Amino acid sequence: MPVFKTPFNGYSVKFSPFYEDRLAVATSQNFGILGNGRLHVLSLSPNPSQPFTEIAAYDTADGIYDVSWSESHDSLVVAAVADGSVKLYDTALPPTSNPIRSLREHTREVHSADYNPLRRDSFLTSSWDDTVKLWTLDRPSSIRTFKEHSYCVYSAVWNPRHADVFASASGDCTLRVWDVREPSSTMVFPPHEFEVLTCDWNKYDDCIIATASVDKSIKIWDVRSFRVPIAVMNGHGYAVRKVRFSPHVRNLLVSCSYDMTVCVWDFMVEDALVSRYDHHTEFAVGVDMSVLVEGLMASTGWDELVYVWQHGTDPRAL
Amino acid sequence: FIFVVGVVGAEIGKTTNVDQQDAGEDAAKQSSKASVFVNTEPMREEQVQNAVKFLSHPKVRGSPVIYRRNFLEKKGLTKEEIDEAFRCVPDSQPSEQTAGANQANTPDVQRPAQSQALQPGVSGSTGVTTLSRTRYSFRWSHALIAVGFLVVSGAGTAILIKKSFLPRLKSWIRKIVLEEEYDQLERTDSKPTVAEEASQAAKAAAAAAAELAKANQEILTSTSEDRRYFADVVRLLDKQVQEMKLMTNEIRRLEASSGASYSRHEDYQVNQTSSKPFIVNGKRDYGQRSVTSSSQPASVEPSSAPHPKSYMEIMAMIQRGEKPSNIRDIDDSPPNPNQQPSNPRLAPRTKPWEASQVQQNSTPAFPSQLNVKDLNSSVLDNSDNAVPWWQAKNAGIREINNGVDTNVYGAASSQQPIKRTWVPPQPPPVVMSEAAEAIRRPKPLVQKEQTLDDSSDISDKVMKSSELSKSERPIEGSITNTVLGSAEILEES
C-alpha cells in the first residue's frame, strides 16, 4: 500500500521538481508542540509491495514545519524548523555532511519555505515572528526581511509567472502581495474574517490566488478586483490548513483540513467539490500535487502517515 | 518587469521619483504598463474619514501603530487609504517604522521615494515618532510635576505659616500681655479680669495656632493623599489597559487555537499581568489559556477542531512543566557551515504551465471518472514493467522535455489535448550572484531567464524586447548546454 509511516506527526509533503519518484516529508514530534523533528526524503518504487524507499532522513532538535525543494539543485532541500532556523540539506552528500547550512535569523518558528520556481536561486521563509525573509543559497544571511504583518505569517508563496512577486498569508487576517523590488507590500486585503492559514497562486492565471482560513472556507481571488472573491468553496468541516493549485489543470486545486480530509475542487464549476479523500485519521496538514506527474498527489497528517496516490483512485487501495 | 507604482502615487497626488539611478528609465517606466499586483482603485473618501475618526479616538492613540494599521486593513482599506488617514491624524505615526524595518538587511538597497508608504521626509517621521512618544510620556511627567508642585507649595505654606505667621501671633500675644500688664499696673482691681482675658486670648491664640498646625498637617496629608490617589489612579488605568490587552490576547488565542492550534507568546505586548505565560525551553506559549479557550468556543467564531487525545495529554504535560520523555538531545548544527552544495546532476525542468498555452481549455470532470479497474489491472499486471503503480496508465506520463508532451489527459477522456503552439526555448541557467544582485537592486535592468518563460503573455513581450537587448547572454536552445553554461558562469562570477 502506498503509505509510509513516519515516526513523528506529519506537517508537510512536497514532490521533487526534478525526479518524478521523489518527495520530501517534514515531520515533528509530539504534534509539533515540543520535540524533535525529522525530514524524510522518500523515493517511490514501482514495486507495489514496497512502495516507498527512504533515501535520507535527517533529525533536527526541533520540529520541522515545512520543506521545499530547490529548483536549481536536484538534491537540495530547505527545511523550516520550529526553533527559528532554516536548514539546508543535500541528499547527494553523506549524512555526516548534513545539514550544509543552518540559517538562524527568525526569532520564532519558521512556518513555511518556498523556492522561487523562475529565478531558481532564491527562496522565501515565513515565520511566526511576523516576517518573511528572502534568501539565496550563496549568502549566509537573508537578503530582505519583509515586516508588515502584525501576526504570524503562515505562508509565503512565489508567483509562478512573475519572478519577483509573492504573496503572504497571515494570522492577522490579511493577504499581502509583494514585489521584492519594492520596499513594501504592493497590495493588502482581508480575504477572511479569521486567520488566513494558506495561500497559493494559480499556475495558469497569474492574477488568481486561493486563500483558505480557520473559517473553513477556501476563496479564490483575482488580485485585480480583490473586493469580491471569484469563488467561495465551503465544505470542509474545520479549518483548512493548506491549498495547492494543480500544476496541470487550470481550475483544479487541492486542499487539506483539520476535518481529516483532502478535497479536490474545481473553482469554475457551480458544485466545486470534485473529490473528497478521507484516508487520514487525524488532522490532514500537508498536501501537494506533483509538477512532473499529472494527477499524482501526496498528503500527510498528524496520524503519522504519508499517502501518495493518483487523483481518482483510492489512496488506501492495495 | 517594471511595476509602476507611480500610478498609485499619482492618485495620492505626490510626485513619484521612481528611479534615482537612471533618469531615462523614469520616462520609460511612466510609459510602460502598470503592474497588476498593485491596487488601482481610487481612494474612497468615506473610508478615509472613518479611519481618521478611528485613529483620532484617544483609546486608539495609545495602541501600537501596527495594530491600528491591521485593524484598518481588516476593514478592507487599501494601503493608500490607510496612509492617507494616518496623514490626516497629526499625532500618529504612519508606516515609516515598518518601511524602515523592511530595509534592515540591505544597506545598499536604494529606497525609491515613489512608494506611498514613504512619506516626504523620513527624518520628519522619526521626529514625529519621538514627538508622539514623548508626548505620551509627557503626560505622566506632567502629572508628576503637578503633584510635586502641590507638595512643595503645601510644604512652603506650612513653613511660611510657621515662620511668619506664628511669630506674628506670638508677638501679638506678647503685645496683648504687655498691654495687660501695663493695664494691670494702672488698674489693679481689673487685674484678674485682664489676666483672665489675657489668658483667654492666649488660649485662643494657642488654639488658633493649634488649629493652624492641624490645618498644616491636613494640607500635608491631603497632598500626600493626593499623590497616593494619583498613583492609584495611574495604577488602575494601567490595570485596565492590561485587562484590555489580555482580552484581545484571549480573542486572538481563541482564534488561534480553533484554527492553527497553537497560541502565541505575546512577549512584545508588555504582558505584566500575574498570569505570566510559562516558557518551556524559552519557546512557544501553550498556556492554560489556549486549552480553556478551545473548550469555550465563541458563538461568533468557527468551532475549534477536536484535537487528538494524545495531543491534549501532551499539552497537559507541558502545562504542568513536564517535558515529554521522548525528546532527544540532538545536535543538528551543520558540521561544515561553509559546505558547498554538490553540483546539480539534472537541469531544471520546464513547468507544465510554462510549456503550454495560457488560454487552455479548462477540463471539468478530471480523471475522477478514471476507471479504477484499469488502474488495478495496470498495477497487478507485473509484466507491464514500464508503468509504476503511481503513474496510472490512464493518466499518462507527462514527460516534459523541451516542451514536448508525450501524453495528455487520459485515455479515458474525450477531452481535448493541449494545444501545442510555440514552445519557448530552454532558458539560460541561473546566474546566482547576478540574480541576487538583481533582487537587491530596485528595478534591475538586467533580467535573466525568467522573462523568457512567460512567452505567451503580451506584456512580457514588451518587457522582453527592452530587456533582451540588455541581456548579455544569448538564448541557449538545449538542455545540455545549460549545464555547461552554469559552469561558465560560475567561472565568470
Side-chain angles (χ1 to χ4, degrees):
Chain A
M1 65 204 78
V3 105
F4 182 79
K5 167 87 173 59
T6 55
F8 301 151
N9 307 99
Y11 258 85
S12 173
V13 60
K14 292 269 175 77
F15 282 100
S16 164
F18 287 92
Y19 301 103
E20 293 95 359
D21 58 350
R22 200 165 290 188
L23 64 154
V25 185
T27 64
S28 303
Q29 200 180 25
N30 300 324
F31 305 97
I33 303 171
L34 181 69
N36 309 127
R38 186 171 291 180
L39 177 66
H40 301 266
V41 180
L42 307 175
S43 174
L44 305 167
S45 73
N47 184 358
S49 62
Q50 203 210 338
F52 288 96
T53 335
E54 188 175 73
I55 294 180
Y58 303 109
D59 283 317
T60 51
D62 211 337
I64 307 182
Y65 284 163
D66 197 13
V67 65
S68 177
W69 285 95
S70 163
E71 296 275 347
S72 58
H73 290 69
D74 56 300
S75 56
L76 275 184
V77 270
V78 179
V81 188
D83 61 4
S85 69
V86 178
K87 291 188 157 56
L88 264 65
Y89 292 90
D90 191 333
T91 60
L93 293 176
T96 46
S97 307
N98 275 299
I100 62 170
R101 296 279 186 278
S102 179
L103 309 166
R104 205 168 272 282
E105 279 190 29
H106 281 297
T107 53
R108 293 220 47 203
E109 290 79 338
V110 187
H111 195 92
S112 86
D114 191 40
Y115 217 95
N116 191 319
L118 289 171
R119 289 203 185 277
R120 305 193 209 270
D121 65 343
S122 49
F123 60 95
L124 293 167
T125 57
S126 78
S127 161
W128 293 2
D129 66 4
D130 312 349
T131 66
V132 177
K133 281 183 190 278
L134 175 68
W135 315 77
T136 54
L137 288 178
D138 57 338
R139 294 176 118 219
S141 56
S142 60
I143 299 179
R144 285 283 303 272
T145 301
F146 304 91
K147 189 175 169 62
E148 271 183 39
H149 283 293
S150 53
Y151 204 57
C152 312
V153 188
Y154 292 122
S155 178
V157 190
W158 289 104
N159 187 303
R161 289 183 172 272
H162 297 271
D164 299 314
V165 175
F166 69 92
S168 60
S170 163
D172 67 5
C173 314
T174 63
L175 181 91
R176 282 187 141 86
V177 178
W178 310 75
D179 185 322
V180 297
R181 296 164 296 185
E182 303 290 333
S184 60
S185 61
T186 59
M187 280 184 67
V188 57
F189 67 97
H192 299 267
E193 298 278 304
F194 296 95
E195 294 194 47
V196 190
L197 298 182
T198 178
C199 63
D200 194 29
W201 295 95
N202 188 299
K203 313 289 186 268
Y204 291 87
D205 195 324
D206 55 352
C207 297
I208 291 187
I209 190 166
T211 61
S213 161
V214 168
D215 68 2
K216 316 173 203 172
S217 72
I218 304 167
K219 294 189 187 175
I220 312 293
W221 306 83
D222 186 326
V223 292
R224 292 165 294 202
S225 53
F226 55 85
R227 296 264 165 233
V228 180
I230 296 176
V232 179
M233 288 163 329
N234 295 302
H236 275 300
Y238 290 106
V240 183
R241 188 58 194 261
K242 198 148 209 168
V243 282
R244 279 281 165 267
F245 267 107
S246 162
H248 296 92
V249 184
R250 187 176 180 273
N251 305 332
L252 228 61
L253 64 149
V254 66
S255 65
C256 67
S257 158
Y258 282 0
D259 67 358
M260 307 182 198
T261 66
V262 172
C263 291
V264 182
W265 313 79
D266 180 337
F267 71 89
M268 296 293 273
V269 166
E270 181 63 37
D271 186 13
L273 184 62
V274 171
S275 359
R276 171 180 254 136
Y277 302 97
D278 58 354
H279 46 287
H280 283 290
T281 55
E282 283 301 343
F283 291 179
V285 172
V287 71
D288 193 27
M289 297 192 83
S290 171
V291 163
L292 301 174
V293 180
E294 182 162 354
L296 193 64
M297 27 207 296
S299 72
T300 185
W302 282 8
D303 56 358
E304 300 167 2
L305 298 173
V306 180
Y307 286 91
V308 180
W309 74 101
Q310 263 290 339
H311 182 203
T313 67
D314 181 4
R316 283 174 289 205
L318 269 155
Chain B
F1 282 90
I2 301 173
F3 296 109
V4 179
V5 184
V7 172
V8 181
E11 284 169 14
I12 309 173
K14 272 201 289 190
T15 57
T16 60
N17 184 13
V18 176
D19 195 345
Q20 298 162 353
Q21 294 168 358
D22 190 356
E25 270 262 282
D26 209 340
K29 279 197 179 91
Q30 297 293 337
S31 59
S32 66
K33 242 190 184 179
S35 154
V36 293
F37 300 107
V38 180
N39 171 42
T40 48
E41 275 184 13
M43 274 200 288
R44 297 165 293 175
E45 201 48 50
E46 197 190 329
Q47 302 287 345
V48 176
Q49 288 310 314
N50 288 340
V52 169
K53 275 186 218 147
F54 165 75
L55 289 172
S56 311
H57 195 275
K59 282 207 176 134
V60 175
R61 291 288 192 92
S63 64
V65 176
I66 200 157
Y67 294 127
R68 292 184 235 169
R69 282 195 82 91
N70 184 237
F71 180 85
L72 295 172
E73 282 162 6
K74 283 202 265 206
K75 292 291 171 205
L77 269 72
T78 62
K79 293 185 79 162
E80 296 79 32
E81 288 161 354
I82 296 175
D83 289 336
E84 180 64 29
F86 270 96
R87 227 170 301 146
C88 291
V89 180
D91 184 24
S92 57
Q93 172 58 28
S95 62
E96 269 62 351
Q97 292 170 338
T98 58
N102 279 346
Q103 302 299 317
N105 282 2
T106 58
D108 34 278
V109 169
Q110 320 222 356
R111 283 166 71 166
Q114 87 276 20
S115 165
Q116 61 275 19
L118 288 174
Q119 303 217 358
V122 181
S123 54
S125 73
T126 50
V128 176
T129 319
T130 51
L131 192 65
S132 64
R133 287 221 196 93
T134 51
R135 200 182 279 204
Y136 192 71
S137 57
F138 195 57
R139 280 199 215 127
W140 297 123
S141 62
H142 203 219
L144 280 170
I145 288 170
V147 167
F149 189 68
L150 275 170
V151 171
V152 165
S153 63
T157 51
I159 291 167
L160 268 172
I161 287 166
K162 279 195 188 138
K163 284 204 173 146
S164 57
F165 197 71
L166 282 179
R168 228 182 275 163
L169 198 66
K170 280 186 195 155
S171 59
W172 178 69
I173 294 170
R174 237 178 272 135
K175 208 173 119 194
I176 293 171
V177 170
L178 277 169
E179 280 181 7
E180 294 299 321
E181 284 182 9
Y182 188 66
D183 287 341
Q184 272 180 6
L185 289 171
E186 295 182 336
R187 300 175 270 128
T188 52
D189 52 332
S190 60
K191 228 200 279 191
T193 53
V194 170
E196 272 182 42
E197 275 180 44
S199 64
Q200 270 179 19
K203 269 186 216 156
E211 274 180 44
L212 266 170
K214 245 186 268 167
N216 275 355
Q217 281 300 315
E218 276 178 38
I219 291 172
L220 278 170
T221 52
S222 72
T223 50
S224 63
E225 264 178 48
D226 274 339
R227 219 185 315 144
R228 249 179 276 131
Y229 179 70
F230 214 101
D232 274 335
V233 166
V234 167
R235 231 178 295 128
L236 279 170
L237 277 172
D238 243 326
K239 264 190 208 149
Q240 277 189 16
V241 170
Q242 300 304 330
E243 293 289 334
M244 276 171 58
K245 283 182 183 166
L246 246 183
M247 273 164 49
T248 52
N249 289 353
E250 289 286 354
I251 292 168
R252 284 225 186 82
R253 275 190 204 92
L254 265 172
E255 293 172 22
S257 73
S258 67
S261 77
Y262 20 65
S263 61
R264 182 156 171 74
H265 180 58
E266 304 282 359
D267 39 1
Y268 60 87
Q269 272 203 342
V270 194
N271 214 334
Q272 292 162 0
T273 57
S274 54
S275 57
K276 184 156 172 49
F278 71 85
I279 304 169
V280 183
N281 289 348
K283 276 213 285 246
R284 292 142 263 170
D285 161 26
Y286 289 101
Q288 181 73 31
R289 287 179 289 259
S290 69
V291 176
T292 52
S293 59
S294 66
S295 61
Q296 307 158 22
S299 54
V300 191
E301 293 189 2
S303 51
S304 164
H307 286 67
K309 180 163 164 284
S310 40
Y311 175 92
M312 304 310 290
E313 284 170 6
I314 293 173
M315 291 289 276
M317 266 180 81
I318 289 179
Q319 282 160 46
R320 290 194 296 267
E322 293 169 29
K323 195 168 140 175
S325 52
N326 54 1
I327 302 176
R328 289 190 301 145
D329 239 327
I330 293 177
D331 176 21
D332 57 3
S333 53
N336 174 8
N338 300 316
Q339 173 75 49
Q340 285 304 307
S342 56
N343 286 329
R345 282 144 288 279
L346 284 185
R349 305 167 72 154
T350 50
K351 308 288 178 201
W353 60 84
E354 292 166 359
S356 57
Q357 198 182 16
V358 173
Q359 298 307 325
Q360 205 167 22
N361 291 341
S362 70
T363 57
F366 187 68
S368 55
Q369 287 150 16
L370 203 63
N371 211 331
V372 184
K373 249 197 303 181
D374 286 356
L375 170 66
N376 285 341
S377 63
S378 75
V379 175
L380 291 170
D381 189 359
N382 288 327
S383 60
D384 187 3
N385 289 326
V387 183
W389 60 267
W390 38 272
Q391 284 180 353
K393 234 198 312 197
N394 292 333
I397 301 164
R398 188 173 262 263
E399 204 75 21
I400 302 172
N401 277 326
N402 269 339
V404 175
D405 194 62
T406 54
N407 200 350
V408 198
Y409 283 104
S413 65
S414 51
Q415 294 145 357
Q416 301 175 26
I418 300 169
K419 295 195 182 72
R420 292 275 124 201
T421 56
W422 178 62
V423 170
Q426 201 64 22
V430 175
V431 180
M432 292 208 200
S433 51
E434 281 189 37
E437 248 247 59
I439 293 167
R440 263 182 289 138
R441 251 189 298 144
K443 310 290 188 271
L445 306 181
V446 181
Q447 298 287 351
K448 284 294 172 179
E449 85 292 3
Q450 48 82 21
T451 56
L452 304 170
D453 296 341
D454 208 351
S455 53
S456 40
D457 205 344
I458 300 169
S459 61
D460 287 13
K461 282 182 188 147
V462 174
M463 306 291 308
K464 243 194 291 180
S465 55
S466 62
E467 284 164 354
L468 266 178
S469 59
K470 292 175 183 149
S471 168
E472 299 155 4
R473 184 162 291 280
I475 303 161
E476 312 262 3
S478 65
I479 297 179
T480 52
N481 278 343
T482 60
V483 180
L484 293 171
S486 65
E488 278 176 50
I489 292 155
L490 285 171
E491 284 171 17
E492 277 176 5
S493 61

